Structures are given as C-alpha cells and as structure tokens.
C-alpha cells in the first residue's frame, strides 16, 4: 500500500481549493438511502425474512391452519408476556444505541486528538529549526519536506481508519486519498516511491 507518484501530465496542485457541501432539503432525506457505509442493507437482511415469517404465521392463524395458536388460552393472547418482551427489547435497543453513540464520539475525539498531536509535533520540529546553524536553504527544504510528510501521514491514517475501504482493491478507491494534501509534487520522485 502506498501513494502513487505523480505523473508528468498531472495537473499542478491548486493553491486553495474550496470544498462545497450540499446540505438542506432533500439531501438529508437521500442520505438515508445510501448503501455505502449504511446499516440499512445488513438490517434489511434480518428484517425482511422475519417480516415474511410473521406475516405467513398471522395469515395461517387467521385462516385456521394453526388452531393451537388461535385458542383463547394461547400465549399469543396474553398481554403480560408481550409487554415484558417489548420492555426488554426497548431496553436493549436504547442501551446498544447509547453504547454505539459513546463509541462513535470516543473514536471521533481520538481522531481529532491524533491530528492535534501531529500538528504539535510538526510545529515543534519547525520551530526547533529556528536555532539551527545550517544554511537557510537546507532548513527551508527540511521544513517544507517535513510539512508535506506530516500531511501525507495524516491522510494515510485517515484512510486506514475508514471502515468503508475494507474491501477496496485499488488504491484510487480509498476516499481519504482524495483529500487535499500539502503539495505532494514538491517531493522528489525517490521519496515518493519510498513512501
């Protein structure tokens, strides 16, 4: 795994690229139906067979094919069993949802903390160069290379964290590698190939 070096016909990097977001209106509703990264496809694989079985049983009971379930003393007619079961399922859903929410924010906070720590490390290294005895051109080259490498490091870490890329075959399909990074063309070909 690695970053592909730029080709000769690659366009020069833009100085500043504005990210445009589409929000509001129907876009919020359409996010519910996206398959990539959504829980709905796996949930439907469980829900559709259960729905079909329940509907089949209900139709069979109503038409008299299962007389044991239609009797007055059947468990299906007791409210206590269903209310206890509904409480248990509701409790489990709320508990699991709160656990998932907590884990999501822990992961999000850790990602932001990682970015801040790397920014601090890069800033410290750049500021330590202020007292260097080396030539200004060497110091400037070191600082520029360091910043570019930290930018690539952060993009690679985000790509590694993406759960969506679990079945990705080509490096171009990884979403994080499409983030804006700081001037990768500023590095020499040998450094890019070793990365």
């Amino acid at each position: 795994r690695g970053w592909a070096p730029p080709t000769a016909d690659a366009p020069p990097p833009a100085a500043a690229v504005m990210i445009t977001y589409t929000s509001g209106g129907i876009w919020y509703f359409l996010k519910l139906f996206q398959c990539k990264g959504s829980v709905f496809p796996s949930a439907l694989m469980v829900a559709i067979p259960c729905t079909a079985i329940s509907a089949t049983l209900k139709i069979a009971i109503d038409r008299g094919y299962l007389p044991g379930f239609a009797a007055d003393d059947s468990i299906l007619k007791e409210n206590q069993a269903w209310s206890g079961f509904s409480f248990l399922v509701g409790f489990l859903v709320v508990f699991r949802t709160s656990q998932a929410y907590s884990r999501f924010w822990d992961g999000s906070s850790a990602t932001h903390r990682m970015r801040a720590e790397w920014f601090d490390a890069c800033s410290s290294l750049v500021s330590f160069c202020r007292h260097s005895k080396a030539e200004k051109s060497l110091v400037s080259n070191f600082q520029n290379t360091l910043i570019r490498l930290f930018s690539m490091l952060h993009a690679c870490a985000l790509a590694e964290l993406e759960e969506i890329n679990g079945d990705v075959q080509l490096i171009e399909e990884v979403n994080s590698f499409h983030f804006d990074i700081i001037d990768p063309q500023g590095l020499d070909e040998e450094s890019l190939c070793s990365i």
Side-chain angles (χ1 to χ4, degrees):
R1 294 175 71 154
W3 182 78
T7 59
D9 58 343
V17 177
M18 180 63 138
I19 300 173
T20 56
Y21 295 101
T22 307
S23 62
I26 196 164
W27 297 107
Y28 288 120
F29 181 71
L30 290 177
K31 281 284 189 191
L32 291 174
F33 297 106
Q34 74 179 13
C35 287
K36 194 171 191 176
S38 177
V39 72
F40 283 121
S42 57
L44 286 177
M45 290 179 64
V46 174
I48 288 176
C50 292
T51 303
I53 291 170
S54 298
T56 304
L57 284 175
K58 179 65 174 158
I59 291 169
I61 291 169
D62 288 347
R63 292 193 179 169
Y65 295 127
L66 300 171
F69 290 107
D72 289 337
D73 61 344
S74 172
I75 188 82
L76 296 176
K77 305 243 184 211
E78 295 291 328
N79 289 338
Q80 294 85 8
W82 293 114
S83 63
F85 179 72
S86 297
F87 172 77
L88 179 65
V89 169
F91 177 76
L92 288 176
V93 166
V94 168
F95 178 73
R96 286 183 58 94
T97 303
S98 69
Q99 284 293 102
Y101 184 76
S102 173
R103 287 179 181 167
F104 168 78
W105 281 112
D106 287 345
S108 181
S109 298
T111 303
H112 286 284
R113 205 168 33 252
M114 172 189 69
R115 182 188 65 189
E117 292 292 333
W118 284 345
F119 179 79
D120 288 345
C122 187
S123 299
S124 295
L125 288 171
V126 168
S127 67
F128 293 156
C129 292
R130 178 178 289 176
H131 302 291
S132 174
K133 306 283 189 231
E135 296 178 20
K136 291 281 188 193
S137 62
L138 287 175
V139 171
S140 177
N141 188 23
F142 172 76
Q143 290 174 336
N144 291 329
T145 304
L146 182 73
I147 291 170
R148 288 182 182 105
L149 290 175
F150 266 94
S151 176
M152 287 182 187
L153 175 68
H154 187 60
C156 288
L158 290 178
E160 199 61 37
L161 289 175
E162 272 187 289
E163 187 176 316
I164 296 171
N165 296 320
D167 57 347
V168 169
Q169 300 298 324
L170 299 173
I171 199 74
E172 290 84 21
E173 295 176 5
V174 178
N175 291 338
S176 292
F177 290 151
H178 298 291
F179 292 159
D180 289 331
I181 57 177
I182 299 174
D183 191 24
Q185 285 81 15
L187 294 172
D188 59 302
E189 196 75 25
E190 183 182 344
S191 298
L192 287 175
C193 288
S194 66
I195 291 174

